[in-house]
Amino acid sequence: QVQLVESGGASVQPGGSLRLSCAASGIVFSFYTMGWYRQAPGAQRELVARIFSDSSTTYTDSVKGRFTISRDNGKNTVYLQMDSLKPEDTAVYYCNARRRDINVNYWGLGTQVTVSS
């Protein structure tokens, strides 16, 4: 049974930092592309950052230079370090695990991030 469990969401003031974690089980973690998505109220879910099996990364433009995605294959965990947070970063953040070669795509239940003064 595949599980992706996010943690680390919280309420923080603008300019603050948070680190999200996503612990995966039931998959061969190192083979998967891992991603962080977010969904704000009334908005569509959007890709925030992605890290591939070779540890290369991509980011959406709005978080470049502020967020850093990383992975620890030994711990089956992907992280999202979020710095210089802005109110527009407020959303539920979801962890995603994907393998295109076998057409599988898994989601966590999400963790709430609120940026407000």
Side-chain angles (χ1 to χ4, degrees):
Q1 181 181 357
V2 177
Q3 282 193 312
L4 301 176
V5 180
E6 301 99 333
S7 61
S11 294
V12 63
Q13 291 188 340
S17 296
L18 285 174
R19 188 175 84 151
L20 304 184
S21 300
C22 170
S25 59
I27 61 173
V28 182
F29 182 79
S30 61
F31 289 176
Y32 280 73
T33 296
M34 301 301 297
W36 285 99
Y37 288 71
R38 66 186 178 188
Q39 188 167 17
Q44 289 190 331
R45 191 173 297 188
E46 64 169 352
L47 175 66
V48 176
R50 183 175 282 155
I51 185 165
F52 297 89
S53 57
D54 64 357
S55 294
S56 59
T57 59
T58 61
Y59 297 90
T60 192
D61 286 346
S62 62
V63 307
K64 284 180 181 177
R66 300 189 299 122
F67 290 12
T68 303
I69 189 170
S70 61
R71 66 191 298 159
D72 185 336
N73 290 342
K75 294 182 178 181
N76 287 2
T77 300
V78 61
Y79 305 97
L80 184 68
Q81 177 67 40
M82 305 187 294
D83 299 317
S84 303
L85 282 160
K86 304 176 180 180
E88 51 263 42
D89 296 318
T90 295
V92 178
Y93 283 70
Y94 296 92
C95 179
N96 174 265
R98 182 189 78 181
R99 275 189 65 178
R100 283 186 169 179
D101 58 337
I102 58 173
N103 196 29
V104 294
N105 196 32
Y106 302 111
W107 293 93
L109 296 179
T111 186
Q112 176 71 47
V113 172
T114 302
V115 184
S116 174
S117 55

